[in-house]
Amino acid sequence: MSHTYEVPFLIAGGGIGGLAAALSVAKTGQSVQVLEQAHEFGEVGAGLQLGPNAMAALDHFGLLESISEYAVFPKRLVIMDALSGKELTSLDLGDSFRQRFGYPYAVMHRTDLHTVLLNACRNKKNITLTTNKMVVAFEDLGAKAKVVCADGTTYIADALIGADGIKSKTRKLFADDELICSEYVAYRGTIPTVEVKDHARLDEVTCWIGPELHLVQYPVRRKELFNQVVVFKSHFYSKELEQTTQWATPEEMDERFSQCCPPVRNFVSYINRDFRWPLFDRNPIGQWTKGRIALLGDSAHPMLQYLAQGACQALEDAVALGEQLQHFHNDIEKAFPAYEKERTVRTAQVQRNARKFGDILHTGDDVAVLLRNTIFTQRHSDDYTFVEWLYGYNVPSIHS
């Protein structure tokens, strides 16, 4: 039997962005309901990186202490040459970094961050969490927003946030665009740290780079697990094969990384080969809001992973949304456009720069490699010029 419910604020999607949005809306005093299509709230994947911009957002929600129970705070970000094994450059994440940006750099398991956000939501009386609700239709009714679920349930809400990820259905209200395949794929996984402790860098985020490939490593969950992400461009990609597993196979991964130095080849041998993640993004769009509906996180700005900012930007979105709701006293028709204006330029910059940084890391052109490596090796580890725009950003009034 189908039912119709009227709710004040509705969020479609119970991932990191959706839960953070719920916390942000709840801070304004409104009641908010989160719809998750799965049978339980959870996250898929392995590790993630949280720059100081994300840590500022988590501090806004009062979650730094909870985050610290799970997170690891690396001392350096290091870029290594995957072919020669030589260190190219590093970023000091110690006292000077924290002093400059106000917060540390953290790495943690995606499920741990999601758990912290989920527990925070469960502790809010004005947040309702609902599972098994696959949203199939959205509609802007002018003064309300309508949501229809696969089970026939209908929700009439004062406002709706589409936080339904990179394959967002809500986004179709704003853009008739398609996912863009980068032709790269990632294999991700964690292994017990004890298995690699003799040759793993446990105080660093290490990125080994080579032509059309890289390997990222760092510890998570209090250094109990060692997270690895193997990324490479497939030479067998085609549009016809895009939705199949016939390109970027484990066999191709082994062949591509066979050119790398012994430590990299050894680490790649540990990677889980059962699951692969083709890497997609979309072009930036200028409109995220319409009437009583707005986008947030990957539904608004899906980006490639090369700046490690996907979750970070979703957290920034959530804070900005709440700040605008607070500023306009929960007047949706004023708050949503202000939220859109504040966030679209920032996230488009991150999207575009993620693509560019991927090109820089993966170049195989001799001249480009020489130029890149010269710049990398000549910079000082406490030179934050290139990351100032990214980590120095704070949502307006976040500390007020």
Side-chain angles (χ1 to χ4, degrees), residues 12-15 34-44 114 118 122 129-135 149-151 164 169:
V34 181
L35 303 182
E36 168 57 40
Q37 66 177 0
H39 69 280
E40 64 181 5
F41 284 87
E43 266 290 326
V44 177
H114 189 269
L118 184 60
R122 285 172 171 160
L129 302 170
T130 309
T131 57
N132 292 312
K133 293 296 179 183
M134 179 180 288
V135 176
C149 297
D151 63 1
D164 47 341
K169 296 176 183 176

Side-chain angles (χ1 to χ4, degrees), residues 8-156:
F9 216 106
L10 197 64
I11 296 175
I16 289 170
L19 296 181
L23 290 172
S24 202
V25 173
K27 279 174 67 73
T28 71
Q30 295 188 86
S31 294
V32 55
Q33 185 162 353
V34 181
L35 303 182
E36 168 57 40
Q37 66 177 0
H39 69 280
E40 64 181 5
F41 284 87
E43 266 290 326
V44 177
L48 53 71
Q49 302 177 50
L50 298 171
N53 55 314
M55 298 299 282
L58 291 165
D59 190 22
H60 178 77
F61 299 127
L63 297 177
L64 286 191
E65 185 176 346
S66 298
I67 291 295
S68 297
E69 294 178 16
Y70 297 96
V72 175
F73 300 95
K75 296 178 181 178
R76 294 198 307 162
L77 288 173
V78 184
I79 296 181
M80 305 285 292
D81 188 313
L83 304 186
S84 70
K86 295 180 179 179
E87 181 174 318
L88 296 176
T89 192
S90 68
L91 192 70
D92 182 352
L93 302 178
D95 292 340
S96 59
F97 182 88
R98 297 186 184 208
Q99 183 176 358
R100 173 64 195 85
F101 298 113
Y103 291 91
Y105 196 100
V107 290
M108 62 190 305
H109 203 289
R110 292 188 71 89
T111 57
D112 293 340
L113 175 58
H114 189 269
T115 296
V116 168
L117 293 168
L118 184 60
N119 289 338
C121 286
R122 285 172 171 160
N123 289 331
K124 299 289 185 182
K125 293 182 179 179
N126 56 339
I127 296 179
T128 301
L129 302 170
T130 309
T131 57
N132 292 312
K133 293 296 179 183
M134 179 180 288
V135 176
V136 295
F138 306 88
E139 187 178 353
D140 176 27
L141 302 178
K144 300 280 184 178
K146 179 180 179 181
V147 171
V148 180
C149 297
D151 63 1
T153 306
T154 299
Y155 293 89
I156 305 297

Side-chain angles (χ1 to χ4, degrees), residues 71-363:
V72 175
F73 300 95
K75 296 178 181 178
R76 294 198 307 162
L77 288 173
V78 184
I79 296 181
M80 305 285 292
D81 188 313
L83 304 186
S84 70
K86 295 180 179 179
E87 181 174 318
L88 296 176
T89 192
S90 68
L91 192 70
D92 182 352
L93 302 178
D95 292 340
S96 59
F97 182 88
R98 297 186 184 208
Q99 183 176 358
R100 173 64 195 85
F101 298 113
Y103 291 91
Y105 196 100
V107 290
M108 62 190 305
H109 203 289
R110 292 188 71 89
T111 57
D112 293 340
L113 175 58
H114 189 269
T115 296
V116 168
L117 293 168
L118 184 60
N119 289 338
C121 286
R122 285 172 171 160
N123 289 331
K124 299 289 185 182
K125 293 182 179 179
N126 56 339
I127 296 179
T128 301
L129 302 170
T130 309
T131 57
N132 292 312
K133 293 296 179 183
M134 179 180 288
V135 176
V136 295
F138 306 88
E139 187 178 353
D140 176 27
L141 302 178
K144 300 280 184 178
K146 179 180 179 181
V147 171
V148 180
C149 297
D151 63 1
T153 306
T154 299
Y155 293 89
I156 305 297
D158 293 336
L160 166 67
I161 295 295
D164 47 341
I166 191 169
K167 297 181 180 179
S168 171
K169 296 176 183 176
T170 325
R171 185 184 175 98
K172 295 184 183 299
L173 296 173
F174 302 93
D176 185 24
D177 60 348
E178 298 294 332
L179 286 169
I180 299 171
C181 183
S182 68
E183 302 181 27
Y184 280 79
V185 70
Y187 284 79
R188 301 185 176 104
T190 58
I191 51 179
T193 302
V194 293
E195 294 187 19
V196 294
K197 64 181 178 62
D198 293 336
H199 48 280
R201 296 163 176 253
L202 299 181
D203 291 317
E204 300 172 352
V205 175
T206 308
C207 182
W208 304 80
I209 64 171
E212 298 183 341
L213 59 82
H214 77 263
L215 165 66
V216 175
Q217 304 170 306
Y218 49 86
V220 295
R221 198 165 290 165
R222 301 171 294 272
K223 296 188 179 180
E224 296 165 11
L225 297 175
F226 192 62
N227 179 74
Q228 295 200 120
V229 184
V230 174
V231 176
F232 65 96
K233 184 176 183 178
S234 175
H235 293 169
F236 299 98
Y237 168 83
S238 69
K239 189 66 177 177
E240 293 72 29
L241 295 178
E242 187 173 284
Q243 301 302 318
T244 75
T245 58
Q246 297 177 38
W247 60 285
T249 62
E251 292 75 21
E252 185 181 5
M253 175 174 64
D254 288 335
E255 189 277 325
R256 297 301 307 286
F257 279 84
S258 65
Q259 65 182 302
C260 295
C261 62
V264 171
R265 296 202 305 271
N266 179 50
F267 281 123
V268 170
S269 71
Y270 286 94
I271 202 70
N272 186 309
R273 285 137 197 276
D274 295 334
F275 300 100
R276 53 192 277 286
W277 283 265
L279 302 183
F280 293 89
D281 69 352
R282 296 183 194 260
N283 290 324
I285 55 175
Q287 182 183 8
W288 292 0
T289 65
K290 178 183 179 183
R292 298 294 176 126
I293 302 175
L295 302 178
L296 183 143
D298 281 349
S299 63
H301 45 72
M303 58 188 63
L304 296 176
Q305 290 86 336
Y306 307 130
L307 292 177
Q309 280 288 308
C312 301
Q313 291 305 303
L315 292 169
E316 283 188 11
D317 287 349
V319 173
L321 173 68
E323 290 292 329
Q324 295 300 342
L325 288 170
Q326 197 84 48
H327 179 74
F328 289 105
H329 306 289
N330 291 325
D331 184 332
I332 303 298
E333 294 179 359
K334 293 180 179 179
F336 275 11
Y339 157 72
E340 173 186 285
K341 183 179 180 180
E342 180 180 322
R343 295 298 299 156
T344 49
V345 174
R346 160 74 169 170
T347 55
Q349 183 185 22
V350 179
Q351 281 179 285
R352 293 190 179 102
N353 282 345
R355 288 177 176 175
K356 292 175 183 176
F357 194 55
D359 291 341
I360 292 169
L361 295 181
H362 296 142
T363 184

Side-chain angles (χ1 to χ4, degrees), residues 373-392:
N373 290 358
T374 299
I375 294 172
F376 277 178
T377 54
Q378 289 184 352
R379 61 170 296 279
H380 295 288
S381 62
D382 60 354
D383 178 2
Y384 303 122
T385 305
F386 293 113
V387 295
E388 173 70 33
W389 71 275
L390 187 59
Y391 300 146

